[in-house]
Amino acid sequence: MRLQIILAGIGGQGILFSSKVFSELGLKMGLDIMGSETHGMSQRGGSVIAHLKLGKFQSPLIRNGAADILYSFEENETYNTLKFLKGGGICFVNLESVDQFNKRIMKVLKEKEIALRAFDATGAASKIGSIRSANIVLIGYSVGTGLVAIKYEDLKYVLELVSREKDLKINLKALELGFQEGKRTSKNPGKSL
Amino acid sequence: MGPGPIFFGPDKRTKMKKTGQEEIRVLLGNVAIARGIVEAGCHVVTSYPGTPSSEIVPAVVEFKKELGLNTYIEWSANEKVAYDNALAASLTGKRAAVAMKQVGLNVASDSLMSSAYTGVIGGLVIISCDDPGPHSSQTEQDSRFFAMFAKVPAFDPSTPQEAKEMIKEAFELSEMFQIPVVLRPTIRVSHAKQSVKLAPLKVLDREANFEKNPERWAATPKYRLVLHKKLNETLQKISERFEKDTKWNYEVGKSISASLGIITCSVSFANLMDILDELNLKSEINVLKIGTPYPLPQKRIADFIDRHKKVLIIEETDSVIESQIIDKSKVLGRLTGHIPLAGELSPDGIHNILAEVLRELGIANLEKITDSKLDKLIEKLNLQVRKPTLCAGCPERAAFFAIKKALPKAIYASDIGCYTLGLNLKAVDTVLDMGAGITLASGFYQAYHQDKKDIPIVATMGDSTFYHSGTASLLNAVYNNARFILVILDNEITAMTGMQPTPGLGITADGSKGKIIPLKELIKGCGVKWIKTIDPYEVKNLVKLLKEAKEYSQRKDGGIAAIIARHPCIIRFPEVCEENPVKVEITDDCNGCNYCLDFFECPALYPDEERNIVEIDRNFCVDCGVCIDACPKGAIIPMEKKNKAPL
């Protein structure tokens, strides 16, 4: 199995932590991991992008049109990173509603059979008093929709493994919240493409 | 509509992860390098932080703690200092590693060049991380050229796993031939992430034992010639070893029908292999991977070229392999215009180079990657390029705002660090290299003073940069009667590269206690007579102080005026901001003049275009209250001032 994931956002949104979650998940599945991360100056509020490739790969970078999944934690960064998605891929974006998304770009995505799922992860995370956990909320949401067949229990196990002690409780809460929201919307996927 | 579920569940291979003693961990390239250092039984590790090398030392510290090792680890004041400290350990017979970013090797180059002649005793490995792009550097220089310049061998890894293995080989080679060895990972190796197989540690019980030999360790020019000749002989022997090596230098594909050969190295090799796989081109193209670009295995290269009609050289960042090839008649590369002369070689970039060459040679018609419909649509959106910015609450923003306010017409000579981002506040005119904030300021002063013009000049420099290379610059400026205002932006940490401690903090690399070197005493020691310390959050007072500093710097009996603008980095020490929060709000007096956005540039302030006012983004705001001084209308006020209503 080979799977390519792009995680995009801006410095401070927990992109590198999310990348760690997926790579440990891959390792748990016995897969080879290869990927690439942004460190340094860009982390001061600039664009941050992580490439993650599970399975047999040599290059750490994902080519345009090759990614299976894009997690975008910020709207504009979504537009900048959509090019990575392959036809038939899925994009999960931290956005209140797909209605806010550019209509012409949505049309192109539809042609390429790329699914776009918007969820206000920041809003949800603020409800549990931790905006910084929006990344985990969005990942939990994606699992809840059933479009990405990760087991909730596996994700929970990995979070327990990689979270700092003081963040663990809130991370698990964020995961649960996102997961339930994802499950709820999948029963009524009216807003999806 | 849309695709079905993407399979992402656990599979049977989970249980196969750990077979026997083998442990696999997902490691960042730099962490894999740290692991290689530890597995090699290295005794001493020194470094000065810089992207993309900064994660190596903290990872060695982690391994030291995890495995209960006795490794001596230091964050040195600069790269040359780091180099010499590592070299001395090697002269006592111990293994030592020194890590830095590629421009750090410029600083350490004096020591590198000389120690290539004298050689080493215990293995000495220099890790110099290159930054093609550049992503976070002032140049794209290729450290392999430095290895060639100094006449020391270089290893060029293509993945984190290979970097870890190469480190160990580099130590062996260094000891076998008593020569420093360079490992050159590029940013795509240092910041790549891979599941890496760990190996047991080598245990080397070595006691420091420096054997005196002044003819070698204190060689005069006469003996230097002897050492140079010996170095050439050593290189010859290493070259013969690299000719026979098949671990780092090997061919992929032995297709006799292939008319194109590609010689490649570093991450370009990894990128190329995935592309050839994807495009099913393995029968048309043979690949020679080179892991030892210097000294180059010339016979292997000549033999490979001999067996192909044409040979393309794909290497980052410069033409180190290509320029060493003796017979270039069949070679395509940078020198023939087939590879870009600047920038990173992305996978798509390599794809297009390949398409061009295959078309030119009539081998295949490979479509080039061009902008798709989606790219064009997105380009039309004119998305704002999100440039890096100083964090909300950053004390450096407060200092820059005050500098602009007090001395709007000054020349602003700045330096390398977070505060380079003072560019956004238009309070930075020059950024050259580490330490140049002060040297350029004194140079500007002398150039104008020569014409009998004394214009205000402000040098800004971070605390870590000042410890790195500020003192020689400053005492030189004092000695030669230069006059300017020096503002040390003292946030008590090396923030940009990931919060490494400075000599001002008194904490060493592994968290143990070190001696504190107070900035004020250091500046005083350089001969500066006028030194004031202030918290830049007190913007009004800082403006006043800057005006006094200007007056002193222009007074007859005056000189260089130094201000230490001290406030802890709010990312490293968030508790400082939480101690005294100043919650602010924007009143109806805001008329949307955008002065605060243009000249204060805090990420927590944003324009509400519909209402034509500025708003506060509470997600970013850290309640520092500094923006109160940034509004010319007085429309930003502390909340409690207005709302004294009982709760």
Side-chain angles (χ1 to χ4, degrees):
Chain A
M1 160 193 166
R2 285 171 30 131
L3 188 69
Q4 308 193 54
I5 305 171
I6 294 275
L7 299 150
I10 55 176
Q13 286 189 315
I15 311 292
L16 300 191
F17 182 77
S18 309
S19 158
K20 194 170 178 178
V21 168
F22 282 112
S23 54
E24 288 298 331
L25 200 62
L27 198 63
K28 186 174 183 288
M29 290 156 59
L31 295 169
D32 286 340
I33 314 292
M34 189 56 116
S36 180
E37 295 179 346
T38 316
H39 290 246
M41 192 180 254
S42 315
Q43 279 178 282
R44 297 281 170 272
S47 305
V48 173
I49 177 166
H51 300 230
L52 200 63
K53 302 162 92 169
L54 310 187
K56 293 275 174 217
F57 291 99
Q58 300 210 43
S59 164
L61 297 173
I62 294 176
R63 295 189 63 188
N64 289 350
D68 300 283
I69 313 173
L70 163 65
Y71 286 95
S72 177
F73 302 103
E74 204 267 351
E75 186 186 359
N76 277 2
E77 295 307 318
T78 318
Y79 297 122
N80 285 328
T81 46
L82 275 173
K83 62 179 178 206
F84 286 109
L85 275 176
K86 66 175 189 189
I90 312 176
C91 168
F92 294 98
V93 54
N94 178 15
L95 192 67
E96 279 161 36
S97 154
V98 283
D99 298 339
Q100 289 167 267
F101 215 74
N102 184 289
K103 294 288 168 304
R104 294 177 66 187
I105 289 173
M106 286 221 340
K107 211 179 131 209
V108 180
L109 296 185
K110 201 165 181 175
E111 281 165 25
K112 298 173 89 169
E113 298 196 357
I114 289 173
L116 179 74
R117 286 304 193 94
F119 177 62
D120 182 13
T122 304
S126 70
K127 272 182 216 151
I128 55 167
S130 175
I131 288 166
R132 286 181 57 230
S133 308
N135 56 343
I136 305 298
V137 174
L138 192 66
I139 292 169
Y141 172 85
S142 74
V143 175
T145 61
L147 289 168
V148 180
I150 305 170
K151 275 193 180 162
Y152 176 77
E153 291 72 28
D154 289 338
L155 207 48
K156 196 175 157 201
Y157 166 85
V158 170
L159 268 182
E160 281 166 358
L161 200 71
V162 300
S163 295
R164 285 186 299 188
E165 212 182 307
K166 66 182 178 92
D167 299 334
L168 179 61
K169 225 172 139 185
I170 198 78
N171 280 349
L172 291 178
K173 217 167 155 186
L175 178 70
E176 163 83 30
L177 177 69
F179 180 74
Q180 294 303 341
E181 283 296 324
K183 247 169 89 175
R184 202 170 55 79
T185 38
S186 69
K187 283 178 195 149
N188 177 26
K191 290 284 182 190
S192 146
L193 266 174
Chain B
M1 216 173 94
I6 288 176
F7 177 76
F8 201 60
D11 69 14
K12 285 173 195 156
R13 278 168 295 183
T14 312
K15 286 183 193 118
M16 288 159 59
K17 192 183 84 186
K18 285 183 191 174
T19 48
Q21 290 302 305
E22 191 176 85
E23 189 186 345
I24 298 171
R25 287 192 202 173
V26 181
L27 302 182
L28 192 69
N30 280 342
V31 180
I33 287 169
R35 177 72 194 192
I37 290 171
V38 169
E39 286 180 7
C42 181
H43 306 89
V44 169
V45 183
T46 64
S47 177
Y48 183 81
T51 310
S53 74
S54 310
E55 299 82 8
I56 296 172
V57 158
V60 177
V61 171
E62 284 304 309
F63 284 124
K64 175 186 173 170
K65 285 180 187 160
E66 180 190 328
L67 303 161
L69 304 171
N70 184 35
T71 325
Y72 172 75
I73 310 162
E74 78 168 38
W75 281 125
S76 309
N78 67 33
E79 294 85 353
K80 183 212 152 27
V81 171
Y83 192 104
D84 294 354
N85 275 282
L87 177 66
S90 151
L91 299 192
T92 70
K94 296 189 175 185
R95 286 194 168 183
V98 53
M100 61 197 76
K101 70 181 293 175
Q102 91 285 31
V103 293
L105 193 54
N106 299 345
V107 178
S109 62
D110 211 358
S111 303
L112 170 68
M113 303 301 285
S114 182
S115 61
Y117 277 32
T118 60
V120 302
I121 302 291
L124 177 68
V125 177
I126 302 122
I127 301 140
S128 180
C129 302
D130 280 2
D131 185 12
H135 295 265
S136 203
S137 302
Q138 60 266 44
T139 72
E140 288 195 292
Q141 66 191 69
D142 191 322
S143 295
R144 299 174 306 160
F145 263 135
F146 243 128
M148 198 171 154
F149 186 26
K151 296 193 169 182
V152 300
F155 284 93
D156 195 2
S158 58
T159 61
Q161 177 85 52
E162 195 181 33
K164 178 170 88 76
E165 304 313 321
M166 275 183 171
I167 284 267
K168 295 196 274 184
E169 175 79 4
F171 272 110
E172 295 298 326
L173 191 81
S174 174
E175 274 176 12
M176 198 179 301
F177 295 96
Q178 300 209 339
I179 191 169
V181 177
V182 170
L183 181 90
R184 191 289 296 245
T186 61
I187 192 167
R188 295 297 181 192
V189 174
S190 280
H191 291 168
K193 195 169 167 174
Q194 188 184 12
S195 39
V196 170
K197 283 188 192 127
L198 307 190
L201 317 190
K202 194 169 184 143
V203 181
L204 295 169
D205 282 325
R206 291 188 190 171
E207 280 185 14
N209 179 26
F210 174 62
E211 283 180 25
K212 292 191 182 193
N213 182 0
E215 281 180 20
R216 185 174 174 193
W217 307 125
T220 52
K222 191 177 136 196
Y223 287 110
R224 287 275 163 175
L225 179 65
V226 178
L227 289 175
H228 189 185
K229 284 179 179 164
K230 226 180 126 200
L231 172 61
N232 290 335
E233 284 164 23
T234 304
L235 274 179
Q236 185 54 40
K237 283 183 206 145
I238 294 172
S239 166
E240 281 158 23
R241 190 183 156 92
F242 285 170
E243 288 286 2
K244 283 183 230 131
D245 165 82
T246 51
K247 195 168 178 195
W248 321 113
N249 304 314
Y250 54 86
E251 287 185 37
V252 184
K254 284 267 183 192
S255 165
I256 31 167
S257 62
S259 50
L260 178 67
I262 297 179
I263 299 174
T264 184
C265 61
S266 67
V267 78
S268 301
F269 167 73
N271 288 334
L272 179 72
M273 292 319 289
D274 277 359
I275 292 171
L276 294 185
D277 231 12
E278 201 179 299
L279 300 174
N280 219 356
L281 279 170
K282 283 195 163 154
S283 58
E284 275 85 21
I285 298 170
N286 291 333
V287 175
L288 171 60
K289 186 228 180 237
I290 295 292
T292 63
Y294 187 80
L296 193 66
Q298 290 282 6
K299 285 177 206 151
R300 293 269 293 279
I301 300 252
D303 170 66
F304 184 77
I305 293 176
D306 206 42
R307 284 184 279 122
H308 296 88
K309 241 195 204 145
K310 286 281 180 192
V311 168
L312 176 67
I313 318 285
I314 305 178
E315 61 181 321
E316 271 184 329
T317 317
D318 224 314
S319 312
V320 174
I321 294 175
E322 191 181 351
S323 57
Q324 288 183 81
I325 294 174
I326 298 158
D327 180 359
K328 296 190 182 67
S329 55
K330 287 157 83 177
V331 171
L332 311 174
R334 275 197 186 82
L335 303 176
T336 56
H338 289 85
I339 309 272
L341 290 168
E344 187 177 11
L345 292 177
S346 66
D348 282 355
I350 292 176
H351 177 110
N352 284 351
I353 290 166
L354 213 54
E356 189 67 39
V357 169
L358 291 175
R359 188 191 52 80
E360 202 178 301
L361 301 178
I363 295 172
N365 225 340
L366 183 62
E367 211 168 304
K368 271 196 177 185
I369 294 167
T370 49
D371 279 2
S372 66
K373 193 166 153 189
L374 187 63
D375 293 327
K376 282 172 195 155
L377 271 178
I378 283 163
E379 202 179 314
K380 273 192 205 150
L381 290 180
N382 272 328
L383 293 175
Q384 195 191 342
V385 179
R386 197 178 289 279
K387 51 182 183 185
T389 171
L390 293 168
C391 307
C394 177
E396 294 170 359
R397 168 179 292 102
F400 281 125
F401 183 76
I403 291 168
K404 278 288 283 185
K405 195 138 188 144
L407 305 159
K409 288 188 178 146
I411 295 179
Y412 308 115
S414 194
D415 223 297
I416 310 264
C418 286
Y419 53 98
T420 298
L421 300 171
L423 270 170
N424 300 352
L425 284 96
K426 299 161 192 80
V428 168
D429 291 325
T430 64
V431 177
L432 182 70
D433 60 21
M434 293 288 283
I438 293 176
T439 39
L440 288 189
S442 68
F444 283 136
Y445 171 80
Q446 304 295 9
Y448 278 92
H449 183 67
Q450 195 172 34
D451 305 342
K452 305 212 169 2
K453 282 180 196 155
D454 285 328
I455 57 154
I457 299 162
V458 182
T460 45
M461 188 179 281
D463 47 334
S464 182
T465 308
F466 186 73
Y467 289 114
H468 177 283
S469 50
T471 48
S473 320
L474 185 56
L475 66 89
N476 171 74
V478 173
Y479 165 55
N480 288 298
N481 299 311
R483 285 157 177 250
F484 53 86
I485 299 151
L486 168 62
V487 181
I488 302 281
L489 303 161
D490 180 10
N491 58 5
E492 302 179 347
I493 207 84
T494 319
M496 176 60 90
T497 50
M499 310 299 169
Q500 296 80 11
T502 71
L505 199 63
I507 296 169
T508 65
D510 63 3
S512 59
K513 217 168 168 248
K515 302 271 187 302
I516 293 175
I517 315 292
L519 265 177
K520 193 170 178 179
E521 285 178 31
L522 201 54
I523 295 168
K524 200 173 159 193
C526 290
V528 177
K529 304 280 183 235
W530 195 99
I531 310 165
K532 310 278 175 193
T533 304
I534 189 172
D535 184 337
Y537 270 25
E538 299 169 21
V539 173
K540 282 190 183 120
N541 291 338
L542 179 54
V543 170
K544 221 173 111 200
L545 196 61
L546 280 159
K547 287 180 178 164
E548 283 170 31
K550 184 192 164 205
E551 202 189 302
Y552 174 79
S553 73
Q554 293 181 337
R555 215 159 73 192
K556 208 174 167 196
D557 61 341
I560 291 169
I563 294 173
I564 300 170
R566 176 174 295 149
H567 191 101
C569 169
I570 54 121
I571 301 295
R572 176 63 184 79
F573 308 101
E575 64 278 7
V576 180
C577 255
E578 284 157 16
E579 251 171 39
N580 254 327
V582 183
K583 228 178 182 51
V584 297
E585 64 181 329
I586 294 178
T587 67
D588 297 342
D589 292 337
C590 175
N591 66 352
C593 73
N594 286 0
Y595 179 88
C596 58
L597 302 178
D598 295 338
F599 297 97
F600 192 65
E601 203 246 350
C602 177
L605 295 173
Y606 69 96
D608 183 334
E609 273 150 21
E610 268 173 36
R611 292 163 61 203
N612 193 32
I613 55 164
V614 169
E615 280 281 16
I616 297 165
D617 187 339
R618 300 282 172 197
N619 296 338
F620 284 105
C621 183
V622 298
D623 301 333
C624 72
V626 176
C627 57
I628 293 169
D629 291 317
C631 177
K633 304 279 184 304
I636 306 179
I637 61 161
M639 254 180 173
E640 59 266 35
K641 238 185 190 171
K642 198 177 141 195
N643 303 329
K644 275 197 176 149
L647 259 172

